[in-house]
Structures are given as C-alpha cells and as structure tokens.
Amino acid sequence: MRVRLSLMLALASPFVLHSATAQGIPDVPGATQTQRPTTIYPISNHLPDLAFSLNASEGKTLTAEAVKGKVVMLFFGYASCPDICPTTMAQLSDVMQQLGPKAAEAQILFISVDPHRDTPEVLQAYVNAFNNGAIGLTGTEQQIASVARRYRVAYQISKPKDADNPQAYEVMHGRGIYIFDKNGHARYLASDSETPEQLTEKIRSLL
C-alpha cells in the first residue's frame, strides 16, 4: 500500500520547471514513447475530501459547497504556463465534450499557484478559452499554500531574474489531476498524460 501511495503522489509532488525540460511521467523500463502505460490511481481514503475557500471572478468567494453534487476535476497551475497547463485544460475540455449532456454533472476547477499575476478575472478568462463552464480560483499566498498542502501539491515561485521586470519569473508545480465524486470524496489521481477517453471513463463511473 505504501508503494502505491508513493507512486500516485509522485504525480502531484515533483516540480515541473516550465522552461526547457521535456514533459511526461517517468519512463517505465521496456516501454517506448508510444507504449507508455497509463494509470489512474485510486486515492479513496488516502487524501481528504474537497475543501477550499478561494476567490473567483466578479468578487465572489467560492467554497467546495458550491460544487457539491458534481464530479470535480481539480488541477493546480497558472495562467501564463507555457505547456502543461494549456495541454491539461484542453484535455479536460475534451472530457467535458465526451460526456455530452452528462457534462452538467461535472466541474473543472483550476487553482492558480501564482496569485501575484493571476487575478480572478485573468484566471477566469484563461479557463474560459478552454471551457466556458470551468472555474478559475485564486487567493492569497496563505490560502493557496493551505489548499496545496491539503492535497500534497508541491510548487515553487522563483525570484525575478530582472529587478526591472518583477513579473518575469519561473513557476514550478505538480501536475496531477484530482478527481472527486459528487460528495466531495477524493477518488482518483491522474497523470496529465492520460487520454481524454481514459479520464472520461473514470468520470462516467462516478456520475
């Protein structure tokens, strides 16, 4: 059980530096790039229920109660992410399309780990570009850190390299997709390398 827990938390914990390194989960011995196995880890009883109080657009404060009754796909990232975040948001948008009418029973939540640049309005405009039903959430440094610790998400914001441009800095963050059932219980942790079809299958099982 400890081995399984370590493997699934590896999806959320390792830093991903958005600059030069290739993306993807570690290769499995004997597997080629096209043969890389995909796994969605069950996390029931390993991580706590969905809980947060964060800032949404239009001056709203959103809590987990607002999405109760829906299957939630939760991802941590930031709006100016050059690679993983847009790819994952596109992936989750595909899932919503595949769900068809059942998409009304699912919800994408995108929590920013970069509250210095991501205002609620900036973040909502970002997620709207992928899915109009998605919700972007941010908050104070303390609020973000609290939610990240709850789900063992590692992230780090580097200091600006140029004192004249304080908005230019790198962000590292975990890459797991957390899936919660309609009662807010943590059920699955998926890699961003999963196909939309595989994610959709898991979501349907919770609807």
Side-chain angles (χ1 to χ4, degrees):
M1 184 63 70
R2 287 185 178 179
V3 173
R4 175 178 289 183
L5 182 59
S6 296
L7 284 171
M8 65 188 184
L9 290 179
L11 296 176
S13 298
F15 286 154
V16 177
L17 177 59
H18 297 282
S19 55
T21 57
Q23 307 304 326
I25 59 175
D27 289 332
V28 174
T32 65
Q33 186 72 17
T34 57
Q35 295 172 329
R36 177 176 293 160
T38 55
T39 304
I40 300 177
Y41 294 101
I43 56 174
S44 297
N45 303 317
H46 289 299
L47 288 178
D49 291 350
L50 185 64
F52 61 86
S53 179
L54 295 169
N55 300 330
S57 61
E58 299 179 354
K60 298 177 182 177
T61 297
L62 203 72
T63 68
E65 191 65 25
V67 293
K68 193 170 184 178
K70 293 188 176 185
V71 174
V72 172
M73 293 171 280
L74 172 63
F75 184 70
F76 291 79
Y78 65 112
S80 52
C81 173
D83 37 42
I84 289 177
C85 296
T87 300
T88 302
M89 283 300 300
Q91 178 186 28
L92 297 181
S93 179
D94 283 346
V95 170
M96 296 295 275
Q97 290 182 354
Q98 290 185 29
L99 288 174
K102 284 289 186 178
E105 299 175 39
Q107 180 65 60
I108 300 171
L109 295 181
F110 184 96
I111 297 180
S112 173
V113 298
D114 185 12
H116 306 289
R117 291 182 294 195
D118 289 348
T119 66
E121 282 66 35
V122 165
L123 200 56
Q124 190 58 46
Y126 175 78
V127 299
N128 282 347
F130 298 93
N131 181 273
N132 286 330
I135 299 175
L137 297 169
T138 184
T140 66
E141 291 183 20
Q142 292 76 17
Q143 288 174 313
I144 298 300
S146 177
V147 179
R149 281 195 302 269
R150 184 174 179 84
Y151 302 108
R152 307 185 190 185
V153 174
Y155 68 96
Q156 181 175 314
I157 298 176
S158 65
K159 292 183 178 180
K161 296 180 179 180
D162 185 355
D164 295 328
N165 189 5
Q167 295 296 308
Y169 52 81
E170 294 178 327
V171 176
M172 296 179 285
H173 66 86
R175 58 196 301 167
I177 301 168
Y178 296 81
I179 300 174
F180 298 83
D181 64 23
K182 291 184 175 183
N183 293 314
H185 303 318
R187 298 296 297 274
Y188 297 106
L189 176 59
S191 163
D192 63 327
S193 64
E194 299 298 327
T195 67
E197 289 75 19
Q198 289 165 321
L199 285 171
T200 301
E201 180 182 356
K202 291 299 183 184
I203 299 300
R204 286 189 186 280
S205 72
L206 299 177
L207 292 174

